[in-house]
């Protein structure tokens, strides 16, 4: 701007209004202690003046400058619940389009160029013929969470999978501890989860929903064969133990003596960890999941499905092979209509894999739960162990370690976002002394990696799931020590 250093803020009215009085067409008013001028519509040029009166020290008129005007509106039209958008395209006629309110409407070719206002998220969206595209959207920030629903399950829930089947509904699959009655699938109905289908499983630990093409699948991680029967005294009879009574424990869970962990109990005969896990396929005709494929696993805890470009991957968290938790977990790639081995990664009682993307970077986080090997020296603490985050190296065509985070018998990772922030929440289940352990939310800090920002009190926390509805965003966690799951609502500002 020419002569920018010679310009200064000026009161235009004080420069142009004569000190002797107000010009014709201008009337001075005072409202609640504030003075101003009221202009007459018939005297539009009453305040015309040479620019030299304003730009006293500059011979050139500036390219741009600002004028601040205060207006008082005497009346406001009554509020109406009518919304009309007029979209004008160059060299075409004008078309009026109504705005849809309420829950998310369908977005197909029939709704193309239609608008939808999401009141809960304060966002305006435009249908492009296949998906709703944000036009205006309020940036959300996490403030706090609140309890929303208590879901009573068949037995202790070891894992939860949230998924949507297009044109069918919103579901949650729970991996329940006991073989009878097995695991359950719930459907979101009338603002809450309700029972939908039961599936026989073998001490199921988790579910993984994924699609390949138009086919929908649900894979269960069967942990081991061997059933348990409830007794009145709270103990259990396990097959292969010749009727010996014991409390149900995973093979590496310690017994305590005066607060100190002892060596893990010997695995009872008949409990086999090297068994098949099952992939179920959704049958749209019956509206049920049906067995489709089996894959050999070793004490499987988790399946995770993801894609990179045109390739589909499935990774399993192998936890225990009968003598050690220090075993390989495997990444499989879909080739020729089946899954084939892609990469093996050494893990320590791997309980969960979580894949997530930040920008164009692809990460894979493993939750290491326990360090035990029958042929090695007993460590000071089985449960305080690093869990690792790996990043895909496209050039090397493999995952390489990115960051280690200290966890306490970690059983799950869940990635989610709030506004423009990215988060990871870990399910810490046991620190060697108590199941009352804080689960931690980490925030992505770029160069620093993930940094702890929130600590949530949990009891034997087994699984976290994040999901969104038209009413807001939620986190749901399950406990492996009590038949109670909790839904927490994410409060934003």
């Amino acid at each position: 701007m020419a002569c920018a250093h010679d310009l200064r803020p000026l009161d235009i009215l004080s420069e142009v209004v004569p000190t002797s009085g107000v010009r014709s067409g201008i009337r001075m008013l005072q409202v609640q202690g504030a003075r101003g001028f009221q202009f007459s519509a018939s005297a539009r040029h009453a305040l015309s003046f040479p620019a030299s009166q304003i730009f006293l020290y500059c011979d050139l008129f500036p390219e741009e400058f600002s004028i601040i005007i205060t207006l008082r509106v005497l009346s406001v039209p009554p509020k109406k619940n009518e919304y009309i958008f007029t979209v004008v395209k160059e060299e075409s006629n004008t078309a009026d389009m109504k705005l849809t309110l309420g829950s998310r409407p369908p977005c197909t070719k029939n709704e193309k160029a239609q608008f939808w206002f999401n009141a809960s998220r304060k966002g305006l969206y435009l249908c492009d013929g296949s998906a709703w595209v944000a036009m205006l959207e309020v940036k959300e920030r996490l403030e706090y969470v609140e309890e929303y629903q208590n879901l009573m399950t068949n037995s202790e829930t070891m894992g939860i999978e949230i998924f949507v089947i297009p044109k069918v509904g919103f579901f949650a699959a729970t991996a329940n501890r006991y073989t009878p009655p097995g695991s359950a699938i719930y459907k979101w109905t009338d603002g809450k989860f309700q029972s939908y289908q039961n599936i026989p499983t073998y001490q199921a630990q988790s579910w993984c929903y994924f699609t390949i093409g138009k086919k929908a699948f649900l894979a269960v991680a069967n942990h081991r064969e061997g059933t348990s029967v409830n007794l009145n005294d709270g103990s259990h009879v396990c097959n292969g133990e010749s009727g010996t009574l014991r409390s149900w424990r995973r093979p590496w869970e310690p017994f305590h003596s005066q607060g100190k962990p002892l060596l893990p109990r010997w695995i009872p005969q008949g409990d086999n960890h090297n068994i098949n896990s099952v992939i179920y396929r959704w049958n749209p005709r019956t509206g049920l999941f049906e067995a489709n494929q089996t894959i050999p696993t070793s004490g499987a805890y988790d399946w995770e499905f993801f894609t990179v470009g045109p390739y589909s991957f499935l990774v399993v968290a192998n936890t225990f092979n009968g003598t050690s938790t220090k075993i390989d977990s495997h990444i499989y790639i879909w080739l020729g209509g089946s899954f084939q081995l892609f990469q093996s990664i050494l893990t320590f009682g791997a309980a969960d894999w979580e894949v997530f993307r930040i920008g164009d970077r692809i990460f894979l986080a493993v939750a290491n739960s326990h360090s035990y090997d029958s042929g090695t020296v007993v460590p000071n603490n089985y449960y305080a162990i690093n869990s690792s985050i790996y990043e895909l190296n496209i050039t090397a065509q493999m995952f390489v370690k990115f960051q280690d985070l200290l966890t306490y018998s970690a059983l799950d990772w869940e990635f989610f976002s709030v506004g423009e922030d990215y988060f990871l929440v870990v399910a810490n289940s046991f620190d060697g002394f108590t199941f009352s352990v804080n689960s931690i939310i980490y925030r992505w800090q770029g160069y620093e990696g993930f940094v702890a920002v929130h600590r949530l009190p949990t009891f034997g926390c087994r699984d976290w799931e994040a999901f969104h509805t038209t009413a807001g965003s939620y986190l749901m966690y399950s406990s492996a020590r009590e038949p109670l799951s909790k839904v927490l609502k994410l409060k934003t500002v």
Side-chain angles (χ1 to χ4, degrees):
M1 180 188 297
C3 304
H5 58 284
D6 292 323
L7 300 181
R8 60 189 176 89
L10 296 174
D11 185 343
I12 293 178
L13 293 180
S14 67
E15 295 288 341
V16 300
V17 177
T19 57
S20 58
V22 178
R23 290 182 179 178
S24 174
I26 303 176
R27 189 161 62 96
M28 180 177 289
L29 296 177
Q30 180 169 327
V31 179
Q32 296 181 351
R35 289 185 177 183
F37 292 95
Q38 184 180 61
F39 304 100
S40 172
S42 61
R44 291 174 295 179
H45 302 289
L47 290 181
S48 296
F49 57 89
S52 59
Q53 288 186 234
I54 302 298
F55 308 104
L56 302 178
Y57 308 106
C58 186
D59 296 330
L60 301 176
F61 196 86
E63 294 181 1
E64 59 180 81
F65 61 93
S66 299
I67 297 178
I68 300 176
I69 301 175
T70 302
L71 300 177
R72 178 172 178 261
V73 180
L74 298 179
S75 63
V76 179
K79 182 178 179 181
K80 296 181 179 180
N81 291 324
E82 296 179 0
Y83 305 88
I84 300 293
F85 279 83
T86 300
V87 179
V88 180
K89 185 177 182 181
E90 292 184 5
E91 302 179 357
S92 66
N93 297 327
T94 299
D96 293 334
M97 300 189 183
K98 292 184 178 181
L99 176 68
T100 302
L101 301 176
S103 59
R104 178 187 291 267
C107 177
T108 64
K109 293 181 179 179
N110 295 331
E111 290 79 27
K112 188 173 182 179
Q114 298 294 319
F115 289 91
W116 165 53
F117 181 72
N118 186 340
S120 64
R121 292 195 176 187
K122 303 178 181 66
L124 178 65
Y125 303 86
L126 174 67
C127 177
D128 65 0
S130 60
W132 290 104
V133 180
M135 306 299 291
L136 297 173
E137 195 172 38
V138 176
K139 302 296 183 182
E140 293 182 328
R141 294 176 56 196
L142 178 63
E143 184 179 10
Y144 65 95
V145 296
E146 66 180 5
E147 188 171 316
Y148 182 77
Q149 178 189 0
N150 288 335
L151 184 65
M152 300 306 296
T153 54
N154 295 336
S155 60
E156 290 91 331
T157 302
M158 315 308 288
I160 303 172
E161 177 76 348
I162 304 291
F163 58 94
V164 176
I165 300 178
K167 299 181 180 180
V168 179
F170 194 76
F171 295 86
T174 60
N176 296 113
R177 172 181 288 187
Y178 301 124
T179 297
S183 298
I185 298 176
Y186 300 86
K187 185 178 182 181
W188 184 267
T189 306
D190 297 329
K192 62 181 180 180
F193 285 113
Q194 296 185 15
S195 180
Y196 183 81
Q197 179 184 358
N198 277 350
I199 294 180
T201 52
Y202 294 90
Q203 295 190 10
Q205 301 300 306
S206 68
W207 289 98
C208 177
Y209 175 83
F210 60 94
T211 60
I212 298 178
K214 296 182 179 180
K215 301 175 183 178
F217 299 91
L218 192 59
V220 64
N222 283 325
H223 186 62
R224 66 174 179 177
E225 288 181 331
T227 59
S228 299
V229 179
N230 286 325
L231 299 180
N232 293 332
D233 64 356
S235 301
H236 306 90
V237 175
C238 293
N239 289 350
E241 284 196 284
S242 302
T244 303
L245 298 182
R246 69 179 178 94
S247 296
W248 188 95
R249 294 178 184 272
R250 293 182 183 84
W252 58 84
E253 286 185 334
F255 288 84
H256 291 78
S257 176
Q258 298 178 352
K260 297 181 180 180
L262 302 179
L263 288 175
R265 172 169 287 194
W266 175 253
I267 304 168
Q269 183 180 4
D271 279 351
N272 181 19
H273 293 81
N274 300 308
I275 62 174
N276 288 330
S277 290
V278 184
I279 298 176
Y280 294 85
R281 178 180 171 184
W282 172 258
N283 187 332
R285 294 189 300 273
T286 63
L288 298 172
F289 283 97
E290 301 172 353
N292 182 77
Q293 181 184 358
T294 59
I295 296 179
T297 53
S298 297
Y301 242 60
D302 179 60
W303 285 108
E304 182 76 357
F305 177 85
F306 61 98
T307 60
V308 179
Y311 299 101
S312 297
F313 295 86
L314 191 62
V315 56
V316 63
N318 285 324
T319 304
F320 190 65
N321 63 4
T323 59
S324 176
T325 63
K326 184 179 179 182
I327 57 177
D328 283 338
S329 290
H330 303 295
I331 303 174
Y332 299 90
I333 184 172
W334 179 266
L335 292 175
S338 64
F339 285 103
Q340 301 179 25
L341 183 63
F342 173 77
Q343 181 182 352
S344 297
I345 296 178
L346 182 63
T347 53
F348 299 83
D352 176 69
W353 286 102
E354 177 78 357
V355 65
F356 57 94
R357 291 169 169 83
I358 298 179
D360 58 355
R361 302 169 69 176
I362 301 174
F363 297 89
L364 195 57
V366 62
N368 286 324
S369 67
H370 187 82
S371 178
Y372 169 74
D373 192 312
S374 60
T376 61
V377 178
V378 178
N380 292 329
N381 194 326
Y382 293 101
Y383 310 95
I385 183 174
N386 284 335
S387 290
S388 303
I389 301 173
Y390 297 85
E391 182 177 4
L392 178 61
N393 186 316
I394 299 295
T395 303
Q397 297 186 2
M398 64 182 299
F399 284 89
V400 295
K401 185 175 290 188
F402 172 78
Q403 183 180 4
D404 283 329
L405 293 171
L406 180 62
T407 54
Y408 297 90
S409 192
L411 297 180
D412 181 65
W413 284 107
E414 178 72 5
F415 177 79
F416 64 98
S417 62
V418 176
E420 297 180 347
D421 292 326
Y422 300 101
F423 299 89
L424 271 176
V425 58
V426 64
N428 284 325
S429 65
F430 187 65
D431 64 2
F433 303 96
T434 179
F435 294 99
S436 297
V437 185
N438 286 337
S439 290
I440 301 177
I441 297 178
Y442 297 86
R443 182 172 60 205
W444 172 253
Q445 296 288 92
Y447 178 78
E448 299 178 67
F450 285 92
V451 178
V453 291
H454 291 283
R455 289 172 169 79
L456 306 175
T458 52
F459 184 75
C461 187
R462 172 59 182 90
D463 187 57
W464 283 102
E465 286 293 331
F467 65 98
H468 306 277
T469 71
T470 55
S473 299
Y474 304 84
L475 283 176
M476 182 177 183
Y477 96 85
S478 65
S479 170
R481 302 302 302 178
E482 58 182 356
L484 178 66
S485 296
K486 288 190 176 183
V487 180
L488 307 177
K489 188 171 185 178
L490 304 182
K491 306 299 290 185
T492 58
V493 292

